[in-house]
C-alpha cells in the first residue's frame, strides 16, 4: 500500500469510524472501469427512451447531451471528494461532514430508497423484455425469479458481484457499439429493409428538430436524468477498490466519451435509420429499430442485450443498498445489526432487507403491470436528484474549506472549481420544477414529502435515544484538522 493510500485510510477512519472495516478490496481496475461504463448504460436508455422520443422527437438527442454535461459536472465534484477521502457510502459521509449529521442521515436513507425503487424499475423492465419471447408468462413471475437469482449472487462475495457486473457491462457495450456500426452501415450503404428511408434528414424532416416544441422537449429531462442515475455508483465502490487513487479518476474522466458514444451517438444513429414517428412508449427503440432493419433475429438479440442492462442495474442496486445500510448503521442511524458482515465479507442482512423491499416491485407488476415502470422511475429520479444535490453542495463547501486552509486539497480537483457545481445545482432545481409541473410525475414529490416526514420522525427518535448523533458534526472537523 502506498503512503497516499495509508493517508486516505487514516482520514476515513477518523471521520467515519469503522465504515470500511472488514470490507474486501476485491474490485480491480478492470471491474471498476466496467461498473462505471455500465452505470452509463441502463434501462432508462434502452426502454425509457421510447416514451421520450414520442414526446420530443429528435431533440431528445440534445436533451441527453445537455444532461450528460451536467452529470459530468456532478461526477467531477464527486471525484474531487472521493480522492480527498475515499469511503464506501460516500454520499452520506460527505453530507454528514459538510452539512451536518441530519443531512448525512437523510442522504444515506434516500440513496437507499433510490436504489430500492430503481431495482423495482429494473425488475419491471426485465419482465417486459422476457414478455417479448414468452407473452404467456405473467410479469410478476419473471420479476420474482430475477430478484431471487441476483440476491444469491450478491450474497456470495464482492468479487462475484464485480465479475458478473463486468460481463453484464461487456454485453451492453459490445452490443451498443455493434448497433451503432450496423446503423451507420444502413445509412452509408442502404442495405436492409430500412435502407430506402434511412437518412440524416430524418432528424429534421418530420416537423423539425423540435416537432412538439421546446417545452415538450424540456419535459423529457426528468426521464433523461433517470437514465443517468447509476453513474455515481462508482463512488460506492471506493471502499472496495484495490487502488481508488488510480481507478476512480480514470473511470470518471472517461464519462464524457461514454455519454457521447452510448447515448448521443446511439440515439442519433437510431433516429437517422428510423424516423421518430415510428417509436412508441413501452417499446425499446433499439428493439423497434432492429425489427425495422429486418436483420434475422436482430430484434431478439437486442432484446437480450436490454434484458442484461436491466439485470445489471438491479444487481448494482442490491450491491449499493447493502453498503449504504452498513454506513448508516456505523453512524448510529440504522440498527447496529446492519454493521455485521457475512463470512464472505458482504453486508448480507442489509442486502436481504433491501431485496425484501424490492419485492414490492413484484407486487406492483402483479397489480398494475402497465403502470409499474412509470410509477417507480419517477420516485427514483426524485431521490436521485436529492443525492446529486448533496454531492454538489458538499463539494461547494469542501472547496470553501480548502480555500480557507481548513482541509487538504484533493489530488483530483474539479475543473472550474465550484462554478460547475453551481451550474449543476441550478439545473437540478430546474428539473425538479419540471417534475412539479407535470401532473403524471408530480406524484413522486408527494411520495418524497411523505418519505421526508418519516425520516424526520426517525431523526427525532434517534436524537432522543442518542444525543451524540447530532453533535458529531462539531467534533469531526476538529479531529480532521488535527
Amino acid at each position: 500500500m502506498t503512503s497516499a493510500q495509508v493517508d486516505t485510510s487514516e482520514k476515513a477512519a477518523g471521520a467515519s469510524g469503522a465504515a470500511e472495516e472488514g470490507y474486501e478490496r476485491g474490485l480491480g481496475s478492470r471491474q471498476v472501469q466496467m461498473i462505471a461504463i455500465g452505470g452509463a448504460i441502463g434501462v432508462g436508455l434502452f426502454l425509457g427512451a421510447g416514451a421520450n422520443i414520442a414526446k420530443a422527437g429528435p431533440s431528445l438527442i440534445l436533451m441527453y447531451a445537455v444532461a450528460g454535461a451536467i452529470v459530468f459536472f456532478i461526477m467531477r465534484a464527486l471525484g474531487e471528494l472521493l480522492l480527498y477521502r475515499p469511503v464506501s457510502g460516500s454520499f452520506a459521509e460527505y453530507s454528514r461532514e459538510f452539512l451536518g449529521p441530519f443531512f448525512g442521515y437523510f442522504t444515506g436513507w434516500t440513496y437507499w430508497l433510490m436504489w430500492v425503487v430503481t431495482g423495482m424499475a429494473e425488475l419491471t423492465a426485465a419482465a417486459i423484455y422476457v414478455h417479448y419471447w414468452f407473452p404467456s408468462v405473467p410479469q410478476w413471475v419473471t420479476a420474482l425469479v430475477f430478484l431471487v437469482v441476483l440476491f444469491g449472487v450478491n450474497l456470495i462475495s464482492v468479487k462475484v458481484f464485480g465479475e458478473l457486473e463486468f460481463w453484464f457491462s461487456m454485453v451492453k457495450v459490445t452490443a451498443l457499439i455493434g448497433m451503432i456500426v450496423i446503423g451507420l452501415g444502413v445509412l452509408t450503404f442502404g442495405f436492409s429493409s430500412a435502407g430506402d428511408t434511412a437518412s440524416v434528414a430524418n432528424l429534421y424532416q418530420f416537423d423539425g428538430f423540435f416537432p412538439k416544441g421546446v417545452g415538450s422537449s424540456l419535459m423529457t429531462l426528468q426521464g433523461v436524468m433517470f437514465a443517468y442515475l447509476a453513474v455515481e455508483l462508482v463512488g460506492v465502490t471506493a471502499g472496495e477498490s484495490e487502488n481508488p487513487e488510480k481507478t476512480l479518476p480514470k473511470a470518471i474522466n472517461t464519462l464524457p466519451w461514454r455519454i457521447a458514444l452510448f447515448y448521443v451517438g446511439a440515439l442519433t444513429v437510431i433516429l437517422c435509420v428510423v424516423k421518430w414517428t415510428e417509436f412508441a412508449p413501452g417499446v425499446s427503440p433499439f428493439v423497434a429499430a432492429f425489427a425495422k432493419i429486418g436483420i434475422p433475429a436482430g430484434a431478439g438479440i437486442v432484446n437480450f442485450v436490454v434484458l442484461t442492462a436491466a439485470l445489471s442495474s438491479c444487481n448494482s442496486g442490491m450491491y449499493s443498498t447493502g453498503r449504504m445500510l452498513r454506513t448508516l448503521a456505523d453512524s448510529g442511524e440504522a440498527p447496529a445489526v446492519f454493521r455485521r458482515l457475512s463470512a464472505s465479507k458482504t453486508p448480507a442482512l442489509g442486502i436481504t432487507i433491501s431485496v425484501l423491499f424490492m419485492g414490492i416491485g413484484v407486487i406492483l407488476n402483479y397489480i398494475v403491470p402497465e403502470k409499474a415502470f412509470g410509477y417507480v422511475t419517477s420516485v427514483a429520479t426524485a431521490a436521485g436528484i436529492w443525492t446529486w444535490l448533496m454531492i454538489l453542495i458538499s463539494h461547494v463547501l469542501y472547496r470553501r474549506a480548502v480555500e480557507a486552509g481548513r482541509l487538504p486539497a484533493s489530488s483530483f480537483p474539479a475543473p472550474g472549481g465550484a462554478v460547475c457545481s453551481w451550474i449543476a445545482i441550478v439545473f437540478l432545481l430546474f428539473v425538479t420544477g419540471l417534475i412539479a409541473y407535470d401532473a403524471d410525475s408530480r406524484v413522486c414529490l408527494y411520495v418524497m414529502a411523505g418519505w421526508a416526514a418519516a425520516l424526520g420522525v426517525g431523526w427525532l427518535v434517534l436524537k432522543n435515544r442518542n444525543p451524540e448523533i447530532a453533535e458529531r458534526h462539531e467534533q469531526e472537523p476538529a479531529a480532521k484538522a488535527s
Side-chain angles (χ1 to χ4, degrees):
M1 181 179 286
T2 64
S3 59
Q5 286 173 294
V6 173
D7 184 47
T8 51
S9 297
E10 290 172 351
K11 289 176 184 175
S16 57
E20 309 309 305
E21 183 182 346
Y23 278 135
E24 176 186 10
R25 290 195 176 269
L27 296 177
S29 176
R30 171 179 64 93
Q31 293 165 327
V32 171
Q33 291 299 318
M34 267 301 174
I35 288 171
I37 291 173
I41 309 169
V43 72
L45 171 65
F46 283 128
L47 183 62
N52 289 327
I53 289 172
K55 291 179 183 177
S59 64
L60 183 64
I61 298 167
L62 179 61
M63 297 301 104
Y64 270 106
V66 171
I70 297 299
V71 167
F72 181 61
F73 293 163
I74 295 169
M75 290 304 295
R76 281 306 302 258
L78 176 59
E80 182 165 359
L81 291 169
L82 285 172
L83 269 296
Y84 146 69
R85 187 162 68 89
V87 287
S88 194
S90 53
F91 321 120
E93 283 299 314
Y94 301 136
S95 299
R96 185 173 294 111
E97 178 176 353
F98 295 107
L99 288 160
F102 173 76
F103 287 93
Y105 157 82
F106 195 100
T107 301
W109 277 109
T110 301
Y111 192 67
W112 174 84
L113 173 70
M114 186 202 90
W115 269 113
V116 165
V117 176
T118 298
M120 296 180 195
E122 308 300 350
L123 289 170
T124 301
I128 291 171
Y129 296 144
V130 171
H131 195 259
Y132 175 86
W133 291 305
F134 306 104
S136 61
V137 178
Q139 276 186 209
W140 71 270
V141 173
T142 310
L144 179 61
V145 170
F146 286 139
L147 182 70
V148 172
V149 171
L150 293 178
F151 172 54
V153 167
N154 270 269
L155 289 184
I156 299 172
S157 76
V158 69
K159 286 185 177 179
V160 173
F161 158 79
E163 199 61 30
L164 183 62
E165 196 58 29
F166 174 85
W167 289 108
F168 271 154
S169 296
M170 182 67 78
V171 169
K172 290 188 288 186
V173 170
T174 304
L176 261 184
I177 293 174
M179 292 178 205
I180 293 171
V181 171
I182 291 172
L184 290 174
V186 173
L187 282 170
T188 306
F189 303 109
F191 63 81
S192 87
S193 306
D196 295 337
T197 56
S199 169
V200 175
N202 284 338
L203 296 179
Y204 54 83
Q205 268 188 342
F206 301 95
D207 299 322
F209 189 69
F210 292 91
K212 298 193 176 181
V214 175
S216 183
S217 298
L218 290 175
M219 291 305 295
T220 65
L221 281 174
Q222 50 187 303
V224 169
M225 296 310 288
F226 171 76
Y228 286 124
L229 275 188
V231 296
E232 78 291 325
L233 181 65
V234 69
V236 183
T237 70
E240 292 170 276
S241 301
E242 290 176 353
N243 190 349
E245 287 78 13
K246 287 186 177 180
T247 56
L248 296 179
K250 186 177 179 182
I252 291 170
N253 279 336
T254 55
L255 183 64
W257 73 258
R258 297 199 304 269
I259 290 172
L261 178 64
F262 298 131
Y263 278 93
V264 178
L267 278 176
T268 300
V269 171
I270 289 291
L271 289 171
C272 286
V273 171
V274 181
K275 58 185 180 183
W276 72 270
T277 54
E278 297 191 21
F279 297 106
V283 178
S284 168
F286 295 89
V287 175
F290 271 73
K292 177 73 174 179
I293 290 172
I295 296 177
I301 293 171
V302 174
N303 198 65
F304 171 74
V305 172
V306 296
L307 173 61
T308 65
L311 296 178
S312 166
S313 188
C314 188
N315 187 42
S316 297
M318 291 182 188
Y319 169 86
S320 59
T321 50
R323 274 72 185 168
M324 191 57 68
L325 283 180
R326 187 171 189 244
T327 297
L328 288 164
D330 183 69
S331 302
E333 296 160 357
V337 69
F338 287 128
R339 287 194 59 199
R340 296 178 185 170
L341 293 178
S342 66
S344 58
K345 298 184 179 179
T346 61
L349 181 61
I351 294 172
T352 302
I353 296 299
S354 302
V355 166
L356 289 175
F357 277 94
M358 286 182 190
I360 295 173
V362 176
I363 298 173
L364 285 175
N365 274 282
Y366 178 75
I367 300 173
V368 283
E370 70 286 348
K371 295 182 178 180
F373 187 77
Y375 284 160
V376 295
T377 54
S378 62
V379 175
T381 302
I385 286 175
W386 171 272
T387 301
W388 285 341
L389 282 171
M390 291 300 99
I391 292 171
L392 293 166
I393 295 171
S394 296
H395 177 249
V396 169
L397 296 176
Y398 166 70
R399 291 300 296 241
R400 287 181 183 174
V402 171
E403 290 166 5
R406 296 194 303 272
L407 290 175
S410 170
S411 60
F412 187 48
V419 174
C420 291
S421 289
W422 277 115
I423 294 172
I425 289 170
V426 172
F427 180 85
L428 292 178
L429 293 176
F430 173 69
V431 173
T432 304
L434 293 177
I435 293 173
Y437 180 77
D438 184 6
D440 290 335
S441 59
R442 191 183 303 148
V443 64
C444 74
L445 297 182
Y446 301 141
V447 172
M448 290 305 296
W451 176 252
L455 288 182
V457 171
W459 180 250
L460 291 176
V461 172
L462 283 173
K463 280 209 315 181
N464 287 334
R465 289 182 176 179
N466 183 11
E468 292 181 3
I469 287 178
E471 299 170 4
R472 187 179 295 112
H473 184 59
E474 284 72 26
Q475 298 168 358
E476 199 167 318
K480 288 187 70 61
S482 62

